[in-house]
């Protein structure tokens, strides 16, 4: 950590850092208003220096840095908004739970990096001043939208005040200090303060002025604050509007579209029929609050939130929250997120069918809420509060139950509610996150209900729901969610409290931890939410990986996580647990989530020759006599008039027919069955798949015309011989080869079976049709995923390593050459264990193809599922082009396969890799019927399934993948490493949530895999 060499000498400790008072000199919190009063943006380039400690003194020698005449020419330049660590001053540090300083509340260490900021600005010549027309004394306000973690402010040498609450607005009266022409604003920002104990929010510790700084003119006879209550009566379709104003007594309200002109404030206005605001139809009405000295623009959304009947409802409609948790993050700027990036986030959410956001774990930049209002997202607005690190010491000293912190807690919720109460998108107030329990939290909830009775209160830590209005849990496993849906959750000792909790809507504020490949189990959660009215969905953790962009000297780009900046205490890549990679590239998990969250569900009624496509049984297959498509409109407000339904028939990936499906308009919750046209019958002799999809007929604010909203697939006749139900199913039938088998031949010291060349002594395959094949053998290991490594309880990867699946050895038992096959029998087992696999490789040839029937049977006592089961081998490095017919185009696993579809796909070996921030198992392609690996000349190797297999192809082996810390540390080896698997173990969500569901586990037992090899070119 580097510091400037000039600055104040060590002296008295800054007293405001170690106190319980949240601020001094700050104005009362109020709503963020869009006004015609003058304002001056103070963002831009500031002068900056970083000091190692915080002291009361501002400078040694002549005058402090806050003085207008101070010479800051030796200081550096720093953009505002920004975090200084993201510009090379100190370094980011990541912890999930642990505070990076001793638990000694409210005190913080002497080593407290402190950033001094200076900004000179010229006051516009027409700026209203104390003596100007239409102004009043002190009629200007300095607004800071976010400063981490504590800051003091001076204007023209006079101290204005200080504030804490990093993600909250602070405003100061400065009109009496402004001067015509040049003004100097000085801000001292401390990395640590007493407020840091309330901000332990599982994210990078970053400091600085990271949100906007603005000077606002506050005219005489203006509008100081506005509270909008716009209710909707779903029974009559009418709206009521009440606008309360702090400011001029002559203020009126205009809403011309509804006939309100010069309407009084502080009274309820019946405005007749209105179109309500919802996440699906974010209808807003433009209004103005007009005072003699100021006009404030409002976008009003009419909607009413309640929990009647034990359900969370908006406008009388029970919600199904298809949500994500969203931290603010940008890989180059940290939490200083540009507005255009916020818009990109909201658009991506809408396009992937996310309808709700929990602002974990603090109020977002106000622009984000404006975008949610505009484009339509339900919002759980969370207070800037978390004290999770006290859990490490069994919650001793937790501020949540310490009355000395009461004012700080109430200050934070007041500022949250005051700023954001006029946003129709906000439907729940959350008191904070993982702050234990205590009377300060109860006081926050009571204050919130008193001052804003229009929204329910959320706090997950209130397990008895004694002061929360919804019952909320994190990472409850599927069986617990089902029990809650059925009313079978454990009872408490207090019957009255128990009855109260059971009468509340249930929401998972966090579930399905999206860390590494995954999350698995999304489909099963969604079916529970749809089945039980009390279970109203939840919020996947989380939206984006918090990787910090880094570049090597050669230009190689990668993303850093905890520990990459030399932190003594850190939590590694646990900060990389999002549905987006840091550069906002969607992960395979987001593709899967989009299919699960699709608001319209399409299925094909079962028939002969069925095959279930991925999606936990949501799609069935159609035979020749079964051609019914079922469509369910799962939207809460919209009908399906804005959608067209298309069908498309493909034979082994090639289009054979397509058309439109005449689906009648369905209202919310309605469903219908439609007969398929006779043209959708499949192609003779080839595997044919029908895809039915729903698309927007017109573009909208978040998507273009033709955007796909939902889809389903089904295989149609003819059936594929030997195909088992489901891609990559265990126990697949061996197939029915019709060609006569080739007799094994020994020629020149080489054993030949069809196009395969073997070592006659060991029975090991050497090549196929001239393509050198290396080290073929049974593979049971995968580089553990973050979910395999887990967080709570015993990680399955620990069992795998304990058993020794990462260090298997193979003992050859027999090599048998018969009239039509070569059979190799081996035993695969780890050192120091008496368990293993009895393996039989049966090699046959049928002309141009080499067939392998691989059988593996577990012996001994197995205490864990298998990571995978299949054949590993290598091929020449030049075979870098991959084409396959199967599920794609992206990766998929047993419990995260709903986002892929059957087709014919082309990629490269490099393109098959998914660049998770920490390298791990990735890139699996399921249900592959055949795959071809080709070189630049088109020659290569074709692999066929009997009936199918799962494919991975990499330029490094699993050992290298397991050992690497970052993708750029993986170096291509001299061979391509293939995994041709019967199946892999599921993914689950155990990096923070539940593990793999029983139906997605790969158990030890007896397994059979059939593969065919054919040289091409």
């Amino acid at each position: 950590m580097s510091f400037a060499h000039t600055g104040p000498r060590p002296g008295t400790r800054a007293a405001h850092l170690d106190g319980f008072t949240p601020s001094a000199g700050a104005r009362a919190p109020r709503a963020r208003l869009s006004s015609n009063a003058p304002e001056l943006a103070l963002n831009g380039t500031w002068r900056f220096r970083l000091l190692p400690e915080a002291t009361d003194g501002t400078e040694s020698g002549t005058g402090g840095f806050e003085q207008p005449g101070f010479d800051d020419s030796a200081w550096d330049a720093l953009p505002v908004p920004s975090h200084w660590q993201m510009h090379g001053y100190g370094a980011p540090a990541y912890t999930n739970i642990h505070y990076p300083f001793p638990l000694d509340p409210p005190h913080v260490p002497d080593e407290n990096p402190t950033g001094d900021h200076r900004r000179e600005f010229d006051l516009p010549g027409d700026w209203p001043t104390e003596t100007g027309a239409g102004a009043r004394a002190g009629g200007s306000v300095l607004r800071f939208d976010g400063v981490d973690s504590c800051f003091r402010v001076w204007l023209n040498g006079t101290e204005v005040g200080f504030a804490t609450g990093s993600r909250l607005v602070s405003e100061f009266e400065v009109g009496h200090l402004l001067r015509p022409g040049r003004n100097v604003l000085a801000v001292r920002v401390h990395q640590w303060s007493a407020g840091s104990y309330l901000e332990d929010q599982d994210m990078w510790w970053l400091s600085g002025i990271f949100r906007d700084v603005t000077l606002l003119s506050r005219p005489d006879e203006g509008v100081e604050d506005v509270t909008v209550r716009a209710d909707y009566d779903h029974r009559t379709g009418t709206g009521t509007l009440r606008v309360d104003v702090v400011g001029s007594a002559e203020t009126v309200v205009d809403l011309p579209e509804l006939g309100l002109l010069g309407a009084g404030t502080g009274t309820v206005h019946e405005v007749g029929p209105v179109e309500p605001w919802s996440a699906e139809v974010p209808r807003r009405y433009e209004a103005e609050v007009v005072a003699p000295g100021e006009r404030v623009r409002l976008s009003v959304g009419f909607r009413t939130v309640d929990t009647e009947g034990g359900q969370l409802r908006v406008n009388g409609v029970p919600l199904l929250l298809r949500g994500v948790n969203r931290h603010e993050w940008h890989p180059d700027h940290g939490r200083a997120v540009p507005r255009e990036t916020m818009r990109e986030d909201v658009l991506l959410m809408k396009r992937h069918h996310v309808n709700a956001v929990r602002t974990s774990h603090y109020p977002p930049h106000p622009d984000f809420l404006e975008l949610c209002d505009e484009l339509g997202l339900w919002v759980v607005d969370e207070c800037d509060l978390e004290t999770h690190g006290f859990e490490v010491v069994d919650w001793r000293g937790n501020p949540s139950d310490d009355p000395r912190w009461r004012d700080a807690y109430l200050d934070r919720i007041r500022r949250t509610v005051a700023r954001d109460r006029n946003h129709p998108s906000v439907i729940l107030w959350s008191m904070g996150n993982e702050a234990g329990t205590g009377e300060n939290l109860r006081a926050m909830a009571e204050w919130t209900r008193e001052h804003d009775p229009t929204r329910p209160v959320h706090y997950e830590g209130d397990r008895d729901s004694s002061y929360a209005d919804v019952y909320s849990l994190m990472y409850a496993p599927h069986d617990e969610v089902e029990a809650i849906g059925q009313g079978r959750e454990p009872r408490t000792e207090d019957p009255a409290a128990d009855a109260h909790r059971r009468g509340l809507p249930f929401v998972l504020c966090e579930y399905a931890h999206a860390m590494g490949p995954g999350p698995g189990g999304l489909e099963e959660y969604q079916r529970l939410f749809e089945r039980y009215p009390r279970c109203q969905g939840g919020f996947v953790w989380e939206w984006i990986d918090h990787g910090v962009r880094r570049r090597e000297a050669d230009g190689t780009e990668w993303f850093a996580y905890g520990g990459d900046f030399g932190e003594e205490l850190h939590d590694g890549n646990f900060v990389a647990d999002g549905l987006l990679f840091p550069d906002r590239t969607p992960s395979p998990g987001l593709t899967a989530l989009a299919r699960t969250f699709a608001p319209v569900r399409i299925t094909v009624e079962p028939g002969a020759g069925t095959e279930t496509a991925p999606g936990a049984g949501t799609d069935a297959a159609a035979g020749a006599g079964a051609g019914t498509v079922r469509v369910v409109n799962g939207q809460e407000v919209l009908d399906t008039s804005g959608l067209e339904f298309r069908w498309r028939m493909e034979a082994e990936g090639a289009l054979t027919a397509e058309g439109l499906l005449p689906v009648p308009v369905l209202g919310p919750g309605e469903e219908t069955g439609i007969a398929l046209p006779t043209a959708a019958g499949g192609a003779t002799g080839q595997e044919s798949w029908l895809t039915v999809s729903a698309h927007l007929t017109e573009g909208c604010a978040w998507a273009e015309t033709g955007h796909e909203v939902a889809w389903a697939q089904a295989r149609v006749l003819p059936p594929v011989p030997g195909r088992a139900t489901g891609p990559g199913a265990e126990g697949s039938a061996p197939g029915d080869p019709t060609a006569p088998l080739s007799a094994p031949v020994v020629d020149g010291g080489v054993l030949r079976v069809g196009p395969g060349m073997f070592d006659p002594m060991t029975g090991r395959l050497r090549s196929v049709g001239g393509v050198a094949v290396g080290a073929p053998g049974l593979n049971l290991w995968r580089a553990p995923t973050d979910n395999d490594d887990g967080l709570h309880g015993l990680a399955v990867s620990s069992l795998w390593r304990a058993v020794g699946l990462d260090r298997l050895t193979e003992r050859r038992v027999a090599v048998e050459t018969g009239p039509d096959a070569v059979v190799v029998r081996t035993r695969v087992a780890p050192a120091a264990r008496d368990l293993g696999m009895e393996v039989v490789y049966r090699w046959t040839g049928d002309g141009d193809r080499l067939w392998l029937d691989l059988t593996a049977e577990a012996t001994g006592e197995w205490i864990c599922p298998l990571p995978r089961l299949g054949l590993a081998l290598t091929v020449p490095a030049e075979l870098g082009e991959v084409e396959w017919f199967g599920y794609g185009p992206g990766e998929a696993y047993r419990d995260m396969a709903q986002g892929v579809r059957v087709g014919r796909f082309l990629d490269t070996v490099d393109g098959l890799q998914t660049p998770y921030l920490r390298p791990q198992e990735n890139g699996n392609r399921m249900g592959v019927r055949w795959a071809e690996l080709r070189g630049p000349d088109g020659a290569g190797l074709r692999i066929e399934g009997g009936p199918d297999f799962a494919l991975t192809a990499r330029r490094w082996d699993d050992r290298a993948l397991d050992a690497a810390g970052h993708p750029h540390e993986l170096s291509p080896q001299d061979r391509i490493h293939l995994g041709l698997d019967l199946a892999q173990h599921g993914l689950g969500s155990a990096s923070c949530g539940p593990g793999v569901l029983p139906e997605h586990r790969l158990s030890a037992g007896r397994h059979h895999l059939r593969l065919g090899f054919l040289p091409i070119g």
Side-chain angles (χ1 to χ4, degrees):
M1 188 175 291
S2 60
F3 298 97
H5 294 291
T6 61
R9 297 173 182 171
T12 307
R13 189 180 182 85
H16 61 284
L17 294 178
D18 290 334
F20 297 100
T21 302
S23 64
R27 304 173 85 243
R30 63 191 184 114
R32 185 182 179 91
L33 303 176
S34 177
S35 165
N36 69 338
E39 63 179 56
L40 180 65
L42 297 179
N43 296 343
T45 301
W46 291 46
R47 306 299 292 175
F48 175 78
R49 69 175 177 188
L50 188 63
L51 306 172
E53 293 188 10
T55 66
D56 273 338
T58 56
E59 201 63 41
S60 60
T62 58
F65 85 98
E66 77 281 8
Q67 297 301 321
F70 180 84
D71 182 6
D72 61 13
S73 60
W75 289 19
D76 296 332
L78 184 74
V80 170
S82 73
H83 298 283
W84 65 63
Q85 292 92 344
M86 302 297 286
H87 291 266
Y89 300 93
Y94 167 64
T95 61
N96 170 25
I97 297 174
H98 296 85
Y99 290 98
F101 47 79
L103 286 180
D104 183 24
H107 307 295
V108 293
D110 291 337
E111 184 180 341
N112 187 357
T114 293
D116 285 343
H117 303 67
R118 278 172 54 92
R119 171 75 152 87
E120 294 186 11
F121 64 92
D122 288 331
L123 198 66
D126 58 352
W127 189 269
T129 63
E130 187 171 333
T131 57
R136 60 181 173 82
S140 292
V141 168
L142 185 61
R143 183 176 70 203
F144 293 84
D145 281 315
V147 184
D148 195 323
S149 71
C150 174
F151 66 107
R152 297 170 67 186
V153 183
W154 294 263
L155 182 61
N156 294 324
T158 299
E159 184 163 6
V160 175
F162 82 89
T164 58
S166 299
R167 269 65 62 180
L168 299 165
V169 175
S170 300
E171 291 186 334
F172 302 91
E173 295 276 5
V174 295
H176 60 295
L177 300 175
L178 287 171
R179 301 172 179 173
R182 178 177 178 267
N183 288 262
V184 177
L185 176 61
V187 183
R188 170 161 285 179
V189 182
H190 306 287
Q191 179 162 339
W192 309 125
S193 68
S196 301
Y197 285 100
L198 308 184
E199 297 175 0
D200 186 28
Q201 288 138 320
D202 182 15
M203 58 187 181
W204 292 100
W205 295 94
L206 296 170
S207 316
I209 307 172
F210 70 97
R211 289 184 183 164
D212 306 289
V213 182
T214 312
L215 182 66
L216 308 171
S217 173
R218 301 302 314 127
D220 192 28
E221 292 297 306
V223 179
E224 177 61 23
D225 198 7
V226 174
T227 301
V228 177
R229 179 164 179 172
D231 291 331
Y232 177 73
D233 188 334
H234 65 278
R235 294 159 298 189
T236 63
T238 59
T240 57
L241 178 67
R242 173 173 175 153
V243 179
D244 290 293
V245 174
V246 177
S248 172
E250 300 179 35
T251 304
V252 296
V253 178
D254 290 343
L255 204 166
E257 191 175 356
L258 296 176
L260 281 185
L261 294 172
T265 62
T267 187
V268 175
H269 299 280
E270 302 282 348
V271 293
V274 297
E275 298 175 59
W277 189 97
S278 70
E280 291 175 8
V281 185
R283 175 68 159 95
R284 296 185 297 171
Y285 293 83
E286 298 306 311
E288 278 196 327
V289 175
V290 183
E294 185 176 14
R295 303 175 76 93
V296 169
R297 296 179 298 279
L298 300 174
S299 292
V300 177
F302 290 89
R303 56 105 184 99
T304 297
V305 187
D306 65 58
T307 56
E308 289 186 17
Q311 288 186 290
L312 177 64
R313 309 189 311 170
V314 177
N315 302 330
V317 178
L319 299 185
L320 179 54
L321 299 173
R322 301 175 172 94
V324 295
N325 284 274
R326 176 188 177 268
H327 267 293
E328 294 182 305
W329 187 252
H330 189 284
D332 302 315
H333 309 304
R335 288 185 288 278
V337 182
R339 182 183 172 91
E340 58 269 21
T341 304
M342 300 180 208
R343 176 173 282 275
E344 181 183 352
D345 277 347
V346 176
L347 292 176
L348 279 170
M349 290 176 187
K350 295 288 290 186
R351 291 166 187 162
H352 289 84
H353 313 314
V354 171
N355 73 355
V357 177
R358 175 176 174 235
T359 67
S360 52
H361 297 294
Y362 42 82
H365 191 289
D367 286 355
F368 181 78
L369 295 180
E370 291 177 11
L371 291 166
C372 294
D373 292 345
E374 173 194 342
L375 296 169
L377 288 171
W378 308 117
V379 174
V380 177
D381 197 354
E382 195 147 87
C383 188
D384 190 8
L385 175 65
E386 182 168 336
T387 65
H388 201 177
F390 284 90
E391 182 183 49
V392 177
V393 295
D394 200 25
W395 297 104
R396 292 189 302 274
N398 183 21
S400 294
D401 205 31
D402 185 337
R404 296 176 297 173
W405 292 91
R406 178 73 57 89
D407 288 346
Y409 274 60
L410 290 173
D411 173 73
R412 287 174 181 248
I413 194 63
R414 286 171 183 148
R415 290 156 73 187
T416 300
V417 172
R419 193 197 73 172
D420 297 342
R421 62 180 175 243
N422 295 334
H423 289 283
S425 57
V426 176
I427 59 170
L428 283 172
W429 298 117
S430 179
M431 300 301 95
N433 181 69
E434 294 175 321
T437 59
E439 289 303 306
N440 294 339
L441 290 160
R442 182 183 299 276
M444 293 171 70
E446 291 173 350
W447 182 93
T448 302
R449 266 191 292 268
E450 179 185 351
H451 288 83
D452 181 27
T454 69
R455 297 174 176 93
V457 168
H458 167 273
Y459 179 64
E460 180 267 341
D462 179 19
R463 296 301 171 86
D464 291 334
S465 300
S466 61
Y467 51 82
D469 298 316
V470 297
Y471 180 35
S472 178
L473 293 177
M474 294 180 180
Y475 306 106
H478 298 78
D479 56 357
E480 184 177 359
V481 172
E482 183 159 35
I484 291 170
Q486 295 172 343
R488 297 187 294 105
E489 70 265 37
R491 296 187 180 274
T492 63
E493 296 179 359
D494 183 344
D498 186 76
H500 168 70
R501 189 188 76 246
R502 289 170 182 268
L504 299 179
F506 175 68
V507 172
L508 281 166
C509 66
E510 294 179 22
Y511 78 108
H513 200 248
M515 187 175 181
L522 282 171
E523 281 283 317
E524 291 81 359
Y525 273 120
Q526 198 69 15
R527 300 294 83 78
L528 293 172
F529 301 154
E530 293 169 352
R531 186 178 307 142
Y532 299 109
R534 185 189 178 192
C535 299
Q536 296 194 249
F539 300 84
V540 171
W541 187 270
E542 68 161 308
W543 178 239
I544 189 169
D545 288 345
H546 302 196
V548 178
R549 196 190 315 266
R550 310 287 283 173
R551 289 183 177 86
E552 297 294 293
D554 63 359
T556 299
E557 184 178 286
W558 57 285
F559 296 99
Y561 50 74
D564 286 334
F565 296 96
E567 307 102 298
E568 291 183 352
L569 187 69
H570 67 84
D571 285 296
N573 70 315
F574 202 72
V575 76
D577 47 13
L579 295 161
L580 297 180
F581 295 115
D583 62 0
R584 284 179 162 75
T585 299
S587 74
L590 183 57
T591 303
L593 178 122
R595 177 87 188 287
T596 294
F597 278 5
V600 173
R601 187 161 296 279
I602 304 170
T603 59
V604 181
E605 295 295 335
T610 63
E611 173 171 340
T612 301
T618 61
D619 306 306
T628 301
V629 174
R630 184 153 297 279
V631 179
V632 179
N633 180 13
Q635 298 177 112
E636 293 152 349
V637 175
L638 288 172
D639 61 28
T640 60
S641 59
L643 300 176
E644 72 174 13
F645 292 81
R646 307 172 186 172
W647 64 269
R648 177 183 177 91
M649 180 61 63
E650 293 175 318
E652 204 159 309
L655 178 66
T656 60
E658 62 182 339
L660 296 179
L661 201 62
V663 178
V665 173
L666 302 175
E670 294 182 346
E671 60 181 277
T672 190
I674 301 296
L676 283 171
T678 56
T684 302
Q686 289 184 305
E687 184 177 349
S688 297
W689 280 77
L690 169 71
T691 303
V692 179
S693 53
H695 302 259
L696 295 179
T697 57
E698 295 182 2
C700 62
W702 50 268
E704 297 178 349
T705 300
H707 174 77
E708 186 178 74
V709 172
W711 63 272
Q713 270 194 320
R715 182 177 56 81
V716 298
L717 291 176
V720 178
R723 183 171 307 287
T725 299
E730 297 169 46
S732 303
D736 300 308
T738 57
L741 298 180
S742 305
V745 176
V746 178
D747 182 14
V750 175
L751 176 62
R752 182 194 305 271
V753 181
M757 299 295 185
F758 294 80
D759 184 316
M761 297 297 295
T762 65
R764 189 171 297 279
L765 179 65
R766 291 179 175 176
S767 66
V768 177
V771 178
V773 174
L778 181 72
N779 188 17
L780 304 179
W781 177 250
R782 74 181 183 195
T785 68
D786 290 317
N787 287 313
D788 294 336
D789 288 341
L791 178 66
H792 305 294
L794 185 61
V796 68
S797 64
S798 298
L799 294 176
W800 293 343
R801 294 185 194 275
V803 168
L805 297 185
D806 58 337
R807 48 182 175 82
L808 295 172
T809 60
E810 187 169 30
R811 175 175 61 85
R812 189 169 58 257
V813 176
V815 178
E816 303 165 356
T817 302
D820 59 4
V822 171
V823 178
V824 181
R825 304 179 188 277
T826 71
R827 175 177 168 80
V828 174
R833 296 284 175 178
D834 62 355
L835 53 79
M837 285 279 179
E838 303 292 343
V839 186
V840 178
Y841 305 86
R842 186 175 187 273
W843 299 96
T844 58
D846 65 356
D848 292 336
R849 285 174 177 78
L850 172 69
W851 285 97
L852 167 65
D853 285 281
L854 172 65
T855 304
E857 185 168 4
T859 63
E861 184 177 351
W862 287 75
I863 62 172
C864 61
L866 300 177
R868 74 192 315 158
L869 189 142
L871 184 75
L873 72 159
T874 67
V875 296
E878 60 266 23
L879 303 186
E881 183 180 83
V882 186
E883 186 175 10
W884 74 97
F885 175 51
Y887 287 93
E891 75 178 26
Y893 293 82
R894 301 161 69 102
D895 55 352
M896 193 204 74
Q898 66 270 31
V900 295
R901 62 189 80 189
V902 172
R904 189 167 178 166
F905 304 101
L906 181 66
D907 209 327
T908 65
V909 168
D910 297 330
L912 295 182
Q913 314 312 306
T914 305
Y916 296 107
L917 270 63
R918 182 188 72 82
Q920 54 200 284
E921 165 60 34
N922 73 90
N924 186 58
R925 267 59 181 182
M926 290 180 59
V928 176
R929 282 66 169 151
W930 57 258
E932 293 184 354
L933 288 97
R934 298 188 290 258
D937 60 356
L941 182 67
R942 178 182 173 101
I943 305 167
E944 298 176 347
D948 54 43
F949 61 96
L951 170 70
T952 58
R954 306 187 181 103
R955 295 193 180 276
W956 37 77
D957 59 24
D958 285 336
R959 187 177 299 275
L961 189 64
D962 192 11
H966 303 86
H968 71 284
E969 298 168 7
L970 287 163
S971 299
Q973 297 171 353
D974 59 359
R975 304 277 292 175
I976 292 173
H977 297 262
L978 300 182
L980 312 175
D981 295 323
L982 173 69
Q984 287 202 35
H985 185 60
L987 298 172
S989 191
S991 52
C992 193
V996 176
L997 288 167
E999 59 266 34
H1000 299 304
R1001 295 171 188 162
L1002 179 59
S1003 300
R1006 190 177 190 277
H1007 300 274
H1008 177 264
L1009 172 67
R1010 181 172 174 82
L1011 297 168
F1013 301 88
L1014 174 69
I1016 56 177

